[in-house]
């Protein structure tokens, strides 16, 4: 079982700019449309766990629903999944350990954890096993930070690192326990 973060950040550690925009993710030309291993990663996971804000951001994208796996949306304020997404996303709430135990009992063992606040909450409870972070060569100067305050440091080991398009660095870290 693994809870895995797969995300992009700016050099200064932001996952969205000051206005919540993600336009900077398209700042590096990618003429061949390389997915940089995301398809293989998605084949590895059983489901996604994301926060309400990330879910609403994905719903607002001008494209078809991007996930073929079930998406579990953590929210204490959202009461229903919007029309058109009921067969794709499912609401969960409560303590993270209980949510994970329930999902694991249902056979969802390899989980893609997404969304800034959700990732921060998982890290604060030491529930992240791996992080795959692609760093873009841009300084946003503010926005939504990937990392927040932690009760104590968490040590990770670098499993691999690769340069993408001669511009970005994708690093894969494993939690040392």
């Amino acid at each position: 079982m693994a809870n895995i973060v797969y995300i992009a950040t700016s050099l200064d550690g932001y996952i969205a700019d000051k206005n919540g925009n993600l336009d900077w993710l398209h700042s590096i030309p990618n003429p061949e449309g390389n997915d940089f291993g995301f398809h293989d990663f998605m084949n590895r996971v059983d489901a996604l766990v994301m926060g309400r804000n990330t879910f609403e951001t994905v719903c607002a994208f001008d494209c078809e629903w991007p996930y073929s796996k079930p998406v579990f949306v953590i929210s204490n304020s959202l009461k229903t999944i919007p029309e058109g997404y009921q067969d794709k996303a499912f609401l969960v709430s409560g303590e993270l350990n209980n949510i994970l135990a329930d999902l694991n009992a249902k056979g969802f063992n390899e989980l893609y954890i997404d969304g800034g606040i959700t990732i921060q909450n998982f890290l604060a409870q030491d529930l992240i096993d791996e992080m795959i972070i692609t760093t873009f060569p841009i300084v946003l100067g503010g926005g939504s930070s990937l990392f927040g305050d932690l009760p104590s440091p968490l040590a990770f080991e670098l499993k691999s690192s690769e340069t993408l398009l001669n511009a970005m660095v994708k690093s894969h870290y494993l939690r040392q326990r």
Side-chain angles (χ1 to χ4, degrees):
M1 292 186 274
N3 299 322
I4 311 155
V5 171
Y6 191 107
I7 201 159
T9 71
S10 63
L11 281 174
D12 50 349
Y14 294 101
I15 58 175
D17 70 14
K18 293 176 185 178
N19 298 315
N21 293 322
L22 303 171
D23 299 345
W24 59 275
L25 292 172
H26 304 286
S27 63
I28 305 296
N30 183 5
E32 295 179 19
N34 192 326
D35 79 345
F36 310 112
F38 185 71
H39 179 75
D40 291 340
F41 171 72
M42 287 301 293
N43 284 337
R44 175 185 171 192
V45 300
D46 301 318
L48 291 83
V49 176
M50 67 176 58
R52 178 188 52 82
N53 291 335
T54 301
F55 173 68
E56 290 174 348
T57 297
V58 172
C59 288
F61 287 162
D62 189 22
C63 66
E64 288 188 36
W65 183 247
Y67 308 113
S68 60
K69 306 286 175 91
V71 174
F72 295 95
V73 180
I74 297 176
S75 178
N76 293 318
S77 60
L78 196 61
K79 300 302 177 206
T80 60
I81 295 292
E83 190 173 324
Y85 298 98
Q86 291 94 351
D87 61 336
K88 300 168 179 59
F90 310 90
L91 283 176
V92 293
S93 63
E95 296 296 320
L96 292 182
N97 282 318
N98 295 338
I99 291 170
L100 290 174
D102 184 51
L103 293 177
N104 294 159
K106 292 177 179 172
F108 301 110
N109 297 308
E110 299 287 314
L111 299 173
Y112 172 7
I113 311 303
D114 198 16
I117 295 169
T118 300
I119 292 168
Q120 290 177 16
N121 289 336
F122 270 72
L123 284 167
Q125 294 185 38
D126 196 8
L127 296 173
I128 295 296
D129 302 296
E130 299 178 40
M131 290 192 293
I132 302 166
I133 301 172
T134 300
T135 305
F136 276 64
I138 186 170
V139 176
L140 296 175
S144 299
S145 180
L146 174 57
F147 300 108
D149 291 336
L150 293 174
S152 60
L154 302 174
F156 285 82
E157 175 185 354
L158 180 65
K159 178 180 177 183
S160 64
S161 186
E162 64 180 304
T163 302
L164 306 173
L165 297 176
N166 217 17
M168 303 170 288
V169 177
K170 178 179 170 183
S171 300
H172 188 167
Y173 299 95
L174 301 175
R175 176 74 172 100
Q176 290 183 317
R177 299 195 191 275

